[in-house]
Structures are given as C-alpha cells and as structure tokens.
C-alpha cells in the first residue's frame, strides 16, 4: 500500500484556567523555535530566563514539512519580560505573568538569520483545533488554517474530554464532576456545569447536545446545551467505545465484555436495538447505511449493512485499535499505521506510517493525527498530502475543532 506524506505543525503555550481543588502543578513555559523560510538553520547554545540557564547545544533546521520545533519546557513563576538567547537579550512584546498553574509559550522566530521573540496569541485565531494533554493539565490550540499551534490553556484539574459549541469550549476532567465552559476566543473560564458520576473520559458534540462518557465508562450523559437538561444511559459493564451517528440520529456503543453493539436514540437515550457481530469488537462507527466495527481478535474490520443485515470483512496484518468513517472512507488505527479503506469495497485506499496514534480529528478539509511519539501531523483530506509535522510536549488524549 502506498505511504502518504505527513504534516506541518506549530507549538506554543498555555493560558490559565483556575478551577477545582486538585493538587496544583508548577506553571510551565514552553519555548519553540520557528522558521519563516525553508532550509534555514540556527544553533542554540544557551537560553536564560529569570536567572535560569538552560543548555541547549543543538542546531535546528527548517524542513519542508516541519518549520517549528519544541526547544524546551521549564517550570517557572513570577513575571518575565525578556529572554537571553546565546548571550543576547530579547525583550518580549508583552510581559508574561505566571499565575497559579498557568502555562505560556515563547516563540523564537528566525528570519534571514535574525531572531525575534513573540508571545502566544489566541485572539487572532478564528478557526481552532483543540486538544487535551492530561499529563500537563493543559489544552493545546492549533490554528486550523496554518496547522501551527497558537497557544495553550492551562487547567488545575486533569483535562480529558473536550468539545466546542457556539463559540464555547466544554472541558471535562478526570475524577471531577463538572464540565467547565470556556471562551473559544481566549480560553477564559465562563461557568461550570455539574454532571453525575465520577468525572469525564470523552466528550462528543452533535446537534446542540454533548455526549459525555464518564471516567468509569459505565455512564453516557446526554446534555442538551440549550435546555440545560441532562439524561443518562447506564451500562451494566464498561463500554470500550461509542460513536455519535448523525446520519441515523443514533448513538452506537460497544459492550466492553461481550463486544455487542447497542444503538440508542440521540434524542432521549432509549435503546433502539442491538447488533451482534462474532468476534471481539472494540471500536465502532457508522453512516446512514452501515455500521463499521473493529475486531481485534480476528484482526479485521467489519461492515454490517443496516439494510440487508449482512456483513463484509476485510483482514488486517495488525490488530485494529480504533475505527472512524469520514468522506466515504474508513480510517483504521493500528499500532504502527493509519489505514484508510473504501466504505463500498473495503479495499485499502491509503496508508500512513504513523506509530502510536492517540487521536484523530477530522475537520472537513484536513485530518489532524496525534501520535504518542510527540508529533502531530496535518493531512490534506482530498490529496492525502501531509502538509505539516509538529512537536507536542506530551501525549494527547482527545481533540475537537470549531
């Protein structure tokens, strides 16, 4: 199968969200270097901030697909208004004030061998891709148009699920029974929504509703954003996956024990039916005609017709870990690859050599792929050309976009 290209990226820093009573983590400063021209290079020997000296001793070179690199992350407090790079002082356009558990980024921009320093800016980004980094209690923000990171939003609690609706960000936390509502414009905290259960694992957004999977994966909460009404689907066992199928107004869930696929109404959460596919189903998705399932025991993907009640199967070399459909293709995640299959024939269409994928975000014209290796990739959804490759500081759990 043909291997497609990878993506171009950017990384910046984190603003601050103050909420909750969890133990705090130190404020973080992320330092990135970015190039305006391909093929440019610069050597960084040392960086000094607030009397902290960080030895780098590394040469960075701009590539066709990667023009921005993570240099380092440091714990910090107080205020900074300048940075010393290779012994030369650079004044920031705006002083950074590190409050409790905040995160910020500084960008070193290289243009014709000259260095400039910049603050992160979220206000100037109209189309945003957001993702949670639980280990750093941080939400990352990427400029959807450029594929580059625009900044970060720091949190006191561990962010897990995330969704966007009507210029608001909805964030769920591990072991915290609220959903925080933030401004999409700048990440500032607006309000909190109490939810039942012990916290959040995932959040999906569709038709002015939030679908919130609890931390124990035994409760799926349907929250009507306009009415403020909450309904819950209680499962006897953990579910291994769920998918909101807008084409049929249903929610598909996978029983973590039996592998059975249950269908529920998006409106009221009532059970509609059950599909039993032999094997060990761990992930599910669907469209108006079919349900697509990943069987990790037989290493197959299964297409189940809602019309004929029959199944087709495509074998894989490696175990499937996650499956999602988009633009008449089935995207299947394995340990070492992302494989796109045609929904009609199940024939492989494209293969991407990306290991350890933790999240996929389909934005319409682009696909954002996050890897546990510390990279993310931006892929053109039409040509499958990898536009951008970028650095992320830690593993991403879930993402969304506006």
């Amino acid at each position: 199968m043909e291997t497609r290209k990878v993506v171009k990226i950017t990384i910046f820093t984190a603003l601050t969200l103050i909420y909750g009573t969890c133990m705090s983590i130190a404020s973080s400063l992320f330092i990135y270097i970015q190039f305006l021209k391909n093929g440019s290079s610069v050597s960084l020997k040392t960086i000094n901030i607030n009397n902290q000296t960080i030895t780098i001793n590394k040469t960075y070179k701009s590539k066709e697909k990667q023009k921005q690199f993570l240099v380092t992350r440091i714990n910090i407090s107080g205020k900074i208004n300048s940075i010393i790079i290779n012994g030369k002082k650079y004044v920031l356009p705006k002083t950074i004030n590190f409050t409790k558990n905040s995160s910020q980024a500084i960008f070193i921009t290289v243009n014709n061998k000259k260095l400039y320093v910049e603050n992160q800016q979220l206000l100037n980004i109209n189309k945003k891709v957001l993702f949670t980094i639980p280990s750093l209690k941080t939400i990352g923000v990427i400029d959807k148009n450029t594929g580059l990171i625009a900044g970060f939003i720091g949190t006191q609690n561990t962010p897990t699920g995330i969704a966007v609706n009507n210029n608001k960000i909805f964030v769920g936390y591990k072991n915290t029974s609220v959903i925080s509502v933030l401004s999409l414009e700048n990440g500032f905290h607006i309000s909190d929504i109490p939810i039942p259960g012990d916290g959040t694992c995932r959040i999906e957004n569709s038709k002015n509703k939030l679908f919130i999977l609890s931390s124990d994966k035994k409760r799926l909460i349907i929250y009507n954003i306009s009415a403020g009404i909450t309904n819950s689907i209680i499962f006897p066992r953990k579910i291994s996956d769920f998918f909101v199928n807008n084409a049929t107004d249903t929610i598909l869930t996978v029983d973590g024990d039996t592998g059975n696929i249950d269908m529920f109404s998006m409106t009221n959460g009532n059970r509609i039916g059950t599909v039993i596919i032999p094997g060990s189903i761990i992930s599910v998705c669907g469209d108006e005609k079919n349900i697509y399932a990943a069987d990790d025991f037989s290493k197959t993907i299964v297409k189940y017709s809602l019309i004929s009640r029959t199944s087709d199967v495509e074998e894989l070399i490696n175990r499937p870990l996650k499956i999602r459909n988009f633009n008449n293709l089935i995207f299947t995640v394995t340990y070492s690859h992302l494989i796109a299959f045609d929904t009609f024939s199940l024939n492989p269409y494209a293969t991407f050599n990306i290991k350890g994928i933790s999240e996929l975000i389909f934005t319409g014209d682009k696909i954002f792929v996050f890897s546990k290796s510390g990279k993310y990739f931006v892929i053109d959804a039409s040509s499958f050309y990898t536009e951008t490759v970028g650095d992320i500081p830690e593993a991403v759990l879930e993402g969304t976009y506006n």
Side-chain angles (χ1 to χ4, degrees), residues 168-179:
K168 294 182 178 66
I169 307 169
F170 296 85
V171 185
Y173 305 100
K174 180 181 179 181
N175 300 326
T176 305
S177 299
V178 298
I179 300 294

Side-chain angles (χ1 to χ4, degrees), residues 1 66 90 345 371:
M1 285 181 284
Q66 184 167 4
Y90 296 84
S345 64
S371 169

